[in-house]
Structure formats: structure tokens, C-alpha cells
Amino acid sequence: MSHMQMGGSNSAGSDLMDMASGTSENPQSGSLPMLMQTRAGWSFMLMGKAYVMDTQETGPRGHDKFFAPNWGMFAAGHKLWGGSFQFDLMLSLEPATVTDRSYPELFQTGETAYGKPLVDEQHPHNFIMALGVHYAHPIVENTILELYFAPVGDPALGPVAFPHRASADEIPQAPLSHHWQDSTHIADEVVTVGIKYEKVRLEASGFYGSEPGENRWIIQYGPINSWSSRLSYFPSKNWSAQVSAGRLTRPEREEPGDIIRATASIQYARPMQGSDWATSLIWGRNHDTFSQHNLNSYLLESVAPWRRKNFFTGRIELVNKDDLFSDQPILEDQLDRTAGSTFRIGAYTAGYTRDIGTFEKIETGIGANFSAYSMPDAIKPYYGNHPVAVNVYLRLRLRP
């Protein structure tokens, strides 16, 4: 996220400040807007973003809503015992600014609201999105030992989560593939051990596998019953790549079975016209041990600046979904007998954001994006032949 070193020349400290979510990293040449300060050997970082947003959707399952997704992150680091430690805290007011425990998003699935599965809705984040401590220590030349513990944090599984991902920086809504790729970024009881040697990092994590409950204001906890491992490669400052796998124990609280998840991703970032051109290509697969379904997802997204104040965005997704009718068990059973239980959904999003001014370190912009979808003929009676979604928003974020 930045490349400020802690207290002078300290490779371990610089390594920690490069972290995005948990121990994942965007390409080193990229950056996200933040406020930074160094004082008395301490390094501080503060970043934040909020959207005031209106969503309009067409089709039988479309909805409209006015809401405000948001998040902020603070980090503080210092040298310690020949290495460096860093404290992270990430908060969101979405439990208050996203009413009724969800916001509309056609074909989105995952978690629950009022005891029922969320379908065509995205859940808000918890008030405490991340709370953790890192420690990094050089052990031999070009080799760093990394330790991470987080009551709420991101295990070594998947790419950089979408709220932190440079290529998603101007796209306010969650990807449809979120629960196939990076949903563990708000896991509980995360313990991670990693070794970084030059351009390669190998990590292993244990964590509590269940998704957060519906009380978004509290820190939840449970036994460390899930695991993951990730191999990351940073061939140059412009590129990063990872492959990872893990087993999540009962991630959906209302459903039986575990999820075995595998992911792979490539990210690219290059400074351009006062900002960054950033692109991600991501694959994620969930194997459900109860249904024995293998569900794949593919995502390509990008943000490109133009003349400093203009940002063009795009996201293309293909996701296999088997839970689009889990909120209607009778209909789900009928479709399972007549059309099968798994449907390939395509989502195609294009958008534009225009910066309109910076006031007291708060950068403002207005923007919109448009999404169209593809789906099998069998479910068109329930979604319409050509459903679309339009999001219009005011964006506010901290900027130096």
C-alpha cells in the first residue's frame, strides 16, 4: 500500500508497510491514497473512503436503494528486537449506513439477513473489519520471517480483498465472485506464519472458518478450525501473483458442509498521470463437501486514470452459482429437477469517476457504473431477459 520504511533503512519494516489486507500485497509500484507520517521512530498510516450511492436495478428481482458503503484503516509501526511490528485497525460504519442488513446487487449470494440466505443482495461489512498485529524479522540475507495474529483479519487465502485492491479502487460494489475468491478477508482468530525470500513468499494460516454473524457491531470468535496456504511471487514492482488453497469449516452458518477453496491471481499496476493504472485477473473455485459441486469463478477488472481527474473502470465476471434460489426452497427444488442446480452468470460492468475537488485532505468525485448480465434461459423468467443495474455515487476519500 505504500513503501515508507519504518525508522530508516529496515527491510522488515518496509515489507510490513507494503501489506494490503492481512499479508497480501498489491504490486509495489501501485499505491492507494493515504496520509502518512513518521515521528519519533514510529510510522503512521491513515486511509479512508466512503460512497454516497444510489442503486437502480431492472427485472423481477431488481431493487432500488440509497446507502453508503465506507471503510477506514489505521496502521502504526516501529522497530522491535531487530525487526519491526505493525498494528492494524480497519473500521466501517456500514452496519449503520447500509440499512436492513444488505444492499441490492443482482446475482450476488453469500451470508444471511434476518435468518434467511442473502440472494441478489450484498451484506455490509462489520464495524471492525480488521484488528491485527504483524511482526517481521530478518533471519538471513534476503530472508524475512513474518508472523501475524488478528482477532479479525485476512488469512493467507486468495488475492488482495476488493476493498484494498488497486484495480477495484473506483468500483464501489462487491464482485459477484467475492465468496469464491476473497471473502475470508474478515475472518476471525487468524494466525499466519510466512517466509519471504527475495521475490517469493510462502505462508500458512489457521483461522475460524464461519462467516460473520448478523450482529455487525461485535467481534466474534470461535475455534481455529480452518486452514490455508499461499505462495506469492513478485517478479517486478509492476507485477504480483499468487496461488492459494484452503479448507473453510462451515463458512455458511445456515448450510451444511465445508468449502475447499483454490484461487490464483495476477495483478499489474503502473503509475500513470498522477495515479495508477491497475488490472487484476483472478480465478477462484469452491468445492462444497456437502453438495459435491465444483463452482468456478473468473474475474477481470481494471481502473485507468486519464488526465489526473478522470477514472475509467471495468469489470467482467463469470461465476457458477448454485444458490440463486436458496431463499425459495420450493422453487430451488423445482429448478433442480428441470434445469439443474448450477447456473453460469456473466456480469459486465463499465464505469467512470470524475474528481471534482479536494477539501481539507478529502478528495471528492462523482461517478456511475452500469452492469449488464448473461444467464441461462432457464432462469430468465425470474430475472428478465436483459436485467441491468446502474449505480450513481459521490466518492469521498482521504488524500495527501
Side-chain angles (χ1 to χ4, degrees):
M1 295 171 63
S2 75
H3 314 292
M4 174 180 60
Q5 293 189 345
M6 297 182 187
S9 180
N10 183 336
S11 61
S14 179
D15 188 60
L16 290 183
M17 291 301 287
D18 284 341
M19 304 299 183
S21 58
T23 55
S24 64
E25 290 186 31
N26 287 302
Q28 291 182 0
S29 63
S31 62
L32 296 177
M34 67 186 67
L35 305 178
M36 296 182 293
Q37 189 175 60
T38 301
R39 180 176 296 177
W42 286 85
S43 297
F44 301 99
M45 180 276 290
L46 180 65
M47 63 184 302
K49 180 182 291 186
Y51 293 92
V52 181
M53 186 168 169
D54 183 69
T55 292
Q56 303 283 325
E57 298 176 333
T58 68
R61 288 193 156 204
H63 292 89
D64 308 329
K65 190 164 187 172
F66 185 76
F67 59 103
N70 58 85
W71 49 85
M73 184 174 179
F74 169 78
H78 197 279
K79 291 182 179 180
L80 180 68
W81 303 326
S84 293
F85 82 92
Q86 179 175 301
F87 167 79
D88 293 337
L89 175 65
M90 189 171 184
L91 304 177
S92 173
L93 291 177
E94 288 182 10
T97 62
V98 178
T99 57
D100 296 326
R101 305 183 186 179
S102 66
Y103 65 81
E105 188 170 7
L106 283 171
F107 300 102
Q108 185 64 291
T109 57
E111 301 197 22
T112 63
Y114 303 104
K116 294 183 178 181
L118 282 171
V119 178
D120 303 312
E121 303 278 344
Q122 168 65 27
H123 62 81
H125 285 108
N126 283 18
F127 172 61
I128 299 179
M129 291 177 63
L131 175 63
V133 178
H134 303 257
Y135 182 70
H137 194 287
I139 49 178
V140 295
E141 185 177 0
N142 298 324
T143 304
I144 298 173
L145 172 67
E146 299 173 348
L147 305 174
Y148 172 60
F149 169 68
V152 183
D154 192 0
L157 179 59
V160 176
F162 79 90
H164 307 263
R165 197 160 61 228
S167 59
D169 192 39
E170 297 287 348
I171 306 176
Q173 67 268 31
L176 296 185
S177 50
H178 177 46
H179 286 265
W180 278 243
Q181 298 168 359
D182 58 355
S183 63
T184 53
H185 75 109
I186 50 173
D188 298 315
E189 310 298 341
V190 181
V191 178
T192 300
V193 177
I195 292 287
K196 186 174 183 180
Y197 174 71
E198 294 186 345
K199 299 179 180 181
V200 178
R201 175 190 286 124
L202 179 63
E203 306 162 272
S205 294
F207 57 99
Y208 179 51
S210 294
E211 299 279 8
E214 293 186 32
N215 186 344
R216 300 287 176 177
W217 294 102
I218 64 173
I219 294 180
Q220 299 164 113
Y221 60 90
I224 296 177
N225 58 11
S226 304
W227 63 268
S228 66
S229 184
R230 178 169 60 202
L231 178 66
S232 302
Y233 178 51
F234 309 95
S236 72
K237 291 184 176 181
N238 298 104
W239 292 92
S240 66
Q242 66 85 33
V243 293
S244 57
R247 186 182 184 109
L248 286 66
T249 299
R250 292 292 299 274
E252 297 291 346
R253 295 168 181 263
E254 305 300 321
E255 299 179 10
D258 299 345
I259 293 294
I260 299 173
R261 179 172 297 170
T263 80
S265 63
I266 299 173
Q267 293 180 255
Y268 174 81
R270 179 166 66 88
M272 180 178 173
Q273 300 186 1
S275 187
D276 295 300
W277 172 33
T279 301
S280 297
L281 177 63
I282 304 171
W283 165 77
R285 184 182 72 177
N286 283 341
H287 171 75
D288 190 312
T289 61
F290 179 76
S291 68
Q292 293 298 306
H293 290 168
N294 287 314
L295 303 173
N296 287 284
S297 69
Y298 308 88
L299 176 148
L300 174 65
E301 69 183 10
S302 188
V303 56
W306 182 61
R307 295 187 177 178
R308 294 185 178 272
K309 292 188 176 183
N310 305 278
F311 300 89
F312 294 92
T313 58
R315 178 185 282 163
I316 299 173
E317 294 186 84
L318 294 175
V319 189
N320 291 338
K321 297 259 182 176
D322 67 352
D323 49 359
L324 289 174
F325 301 93
S326 58
D327 58 338
Q328 298 175 270
I330 295 175
L331 177 58
E332 183 178 48
D333 184 63
Q334 176 185 337
L335 285 170
D336 189 26
R337 293 195 306 270
T338 60
S341 59
T342 302
F343 306 102
R344 170 65 63 87
I345 305 301
Y348 314 93
T349 300
Y352 168 75
T353 304
R354 166 75 179 185
D355 280 344
I356 57 176
T358 301
F359 310 95
E360 298 296 331
K361 298 189 181 299
I362 297 178
E363 185 178 58
T364 61
I366 55 174
N369 61 48
F370 172 90
S371 296
Y373 305 92
S374 61
M375 75 201 88
D377 290 340
I379 63 173
K380 285 183 177 179
Y382 310 100
Y383 281 95
N385 289 330
H386 303 288
V388 299
V390 178
N391 297 294
V392 181
Y393 51 85
L394 169 69
R395 184 259 289 139
L396 305 99
R397 65 183 175 194
L398 291 175
R399 192 170 186 99

